[in-house]
Amino acid sequence: ARGLDHPELIARFKLGYANRTLGLRLPTRDRQAGSDIRSRLQKVGIYRESGHEHFNGSLVVPVLDGDGNVLEAYGRKIRDDLRKGTPSHLYLPGPHRGVWNEQALAESSEIILCEALIDAMTFWCAGFTNVTAAYGVEGFTSEHLAALRRHGTRRVLIAYDRDDAGDRAAAKLAVELIAEGIECLRVRFPKGLDANAYALKLTPAHQSLGLVLRQAEWIGRAPDTDTELMPPVTAVPPATAVPVLPSAAGVDVAAAAAAAPPPATDDELLITQGERHWRVRGWKKNLSPEQMRVNLQVRRSAADGAPESYHVDTLDLYA
């Protein structure tokens, strides 16, 4: 139902399902070996003190190190009709350890970073295998950062959920990564969606996810002493100094733009054309000769009972 149907996904990441049969595969409790292994599994967190499997009813995703040892495990309940208060997301007790799909960091200097493992596997199934995941919205750990340093990651596309919590966490994380000299971009799904929900709504997933990756909004990076930076962008000209634009649909665009209110900030230009309101921003973030991105929004006012509508794009003018 989540679209995670790549034929190699289960074998590649050793996915499992906890269905209460673990006890049947262990020596019986009345034998020393059976007692010992249950005690060890309880210390790890696989078994609870009650004797129940911690991940019962869950898809189980192990997080492995380079030698194939399990450092962490994530469980996601399959059913939605759970008893009230039952968590859908489970981890082993204690601090999170390891980096899921760390091999991707070794193979690519550009990494897609998701908020959750289901979202990361969504990208992987769509062919974007240079992906890893944090352990939730506040789950980017020191081990994640150490792995990025170790493998020389140069660019991170932050593909956190498009909600208030995801936006705040992405902005906070970008500051940390930029301080490490890593270029950051924000992958922007439609409001309220995460990578998996977006890929299910807009199929095929490889096209819809590829689109949001190409349109990712550039956040910034630390100055690179090895790169000759572009000179600072000059201030936006006053609203009366409008470039000549072609007329469209009988509307003099230049005249409409000249009548628009002045920019809200020195990195934002507002233009009104009839019932459409255009906002252009982001050019001051282009600190590299390789970047000429702007963020463009057009909003159409509500009229005759129709709701207000808008469209947002990030355009790479260099390309």
Side-chain angles (χ1 to χ4, degrees):
R2 291 297 194 98
L4 304 179
D5 53 4
H6 193 288
E8 298 178 10
L9 182 69
I10 293 175
R12 171 69 178 80
F13 296 108
K14 303 187 184 300
L15 307 185
Y17 177 68
N19 61 355
R20 295 185 179 180
T21 62
L22 178 58
L24 302 178
R25 301 169 184 270
L26 304 177
T28 58
R29 293 175 181 273
D30 55 4
R31 294 171 55 188
Q32 184 64 39
S35 176
D36 288 347
I37 194 169
R38 283 174 173 79
S39 176
R40 292 167 61 192
L41 289 172
Q42 187 170 315
K43 287 182 179 179
V44 171
I46 298 296
Y47 265 131
R48 295 178 179 172
E49 291 184 6
S50 62
H52 293 93
E53 292 182 38
H54 179 58
F55 292 118
N56 181 48
S58 302
L59 164 73
V60 181
V61 185
V63 177
L64 311 173
D65 66 12
D67 297 322
N69 300 307
V70 178
L71 302 178
E72 173 67 277
Y74 164 72
R76 176 64 168 88
K77 294 290 188 183
I78 296 294
R79 298 170 65 95
D80 293 323
D81 56 345
L82 303 174
R83 188 171 59 235
K84 188 175 181 179
T86 301
S88 298
H89 306 272
L90 299 169
Y91 292 95
L92 293 177
H96 298 302
R97 295 185 58 206
V99 177
W100 181 81
N101 194 28
E102 186 173 344
Q103 180 181 343
L105 279 65
E107 296 174 348
S108 175
S109 62
E110 179 176 286
I111 294 297
I112 303 164
L113 176 65
C114 295
E115 181 179 319
L117 284 163
I118 295 293
D119 294 329
M121 288 190 285
T122 301
F123 274 104
W124 194 91
C125 289
F128 303 98
T129 57
N130 58 323
V131 63
T132 189
Y135 300 114
V137 69
E138 295 293 339
F140 183 83
T141 69
S142 60
E143 292 199 26
H144 285 106
L145 183 58
L148 295 178
R149 289 173 180 156
R150 186 165 58 250
H151 296 291
T153 301
R154 301 187 62 184
R155 177 182 295 165
V156 171
L157 292 93
I158 304 174
Y160 280 15
D161 298 1
R162 187 73 199 285
D163 53 23
D164 291 341
D167 287 341
R168 286 194 302 270
K172 177 182 175 183
L173 176 59
V175 172
E176 182 178 0
L177 295 180
I178 291 171
E180 293 287 332
I182 298 173
E183 184 179 14
C184 290
L185 295 90
R186 175 67 164 119
V187 178
R188 293 193 173 276
F189 306 106
K191 196 71 173 174
L193 296 184
D194 57 27
N196 184 258
Y198 173 75
L200 290 174
K201 283 181 176 293
L202 280 82
T203 57
H206 71 273
Q207 290 187 7
S208 58
L209 292 174
L211 177 65
V212 292
L213 290 176
R214 290 193 299 273
Q215 295 180 345
E217 182 175 324
W218 190 72
I219 301 174
R221 72 178 179 192
D224 186 350
T225 55
D226 295 330
T227 303
E228 183 180 346
L229 300 181
M230 293 287 282
V233 180
T234 56
V236 179
T240 53
V242 179
V244 178
L245 303 175
S247 298
V251 177
D252 188 334
V253 181
T265 70
D266 65 354
D267 192 28
E268 182 175 278
L269 178 66
L270 305 176
I271 301 174
T272 296
Q273 178 189 337
E275 61 188 8
R276 290 177 176 81
H277 308 280
W278 298 80
R279 185 199 70 194
V280 190
R281 60 166 53 157
W283 56 80
K284 282 202 169 182
K285 295 180 179 179
N286 294 298
L287 302 179
S288 163
E290 300 173 357
Q291 295 284 346
M292 290 181 65
R293 293 173 183 260
V294 296
N295 179 265
L296 180 67
Q297 180 195 82
V298 58
R299 177 170 50 84
R300 182 175 180 179
S301 305
D304 299 327
E308 181 180 85
S309 56
Y310 71 95
H311 178 74
V312 181
D313 244 333
T314 298
L315 305 180
D316 189 337
L317 304 179
Y318 187 82

